[in-house]
Amino acid sequence: FDAEIERALAELDEPFRSVVQLVDVDGLTYAEAAEILGVPAGTVMSRLHRARGRIRDRLDRAGLAPRSH
């Protein structure tokens, strides 16, 4: 599972990978990530939503996504 997550992250374009790293891995707030990246917090939120969707799609294709009930 971890290896598949790493592959999914590596496949993301840099702007998406950066927000995942800052928010989901490093634990920064949207505002903190926005300040570091020099973009509005809304842009961080949008990129994070899209990045998470792409990671979820990758895990689903690999048969590793959580099943919805």
Side-chain angles (χ1 to χ4, degrees):
F1 183 80
D2 289 345
E4 198 63 37
I5 291 283
E6 287 187 27
R7 279 192 285 278
L9 282 171
E11 289 179 358
L12 292 174
D13 292 334
E14 179 55 33
F16 300 102
R17 190 171 43 249
S18 294
V19 296
V20 170
Q21 177 67 44
L22 293 171
V23 176
D24 288 340
V25 178
D26 297 340
L28 273 59
T29 65
Y30 297 144
E32 292 167 331
E35 185 174 330
I36 289 170
L37 297 171
V39 299
T43 300
V44 169
M45 294 166 60
S46 174
R47 288 179 184 173
L48 189 58
H49 177 76
R50 289 168 51 195
R52 287 174 176 165
R54 291 175 185 177
I55 292 169
R56 203 169 22 255
D57 289 346
R58 169 70 187 238
L59 293 177
D60 188 44
R61 286 192 311 273
L64 298 171
R67 302 285 178 222
S68 56
H69 300 290

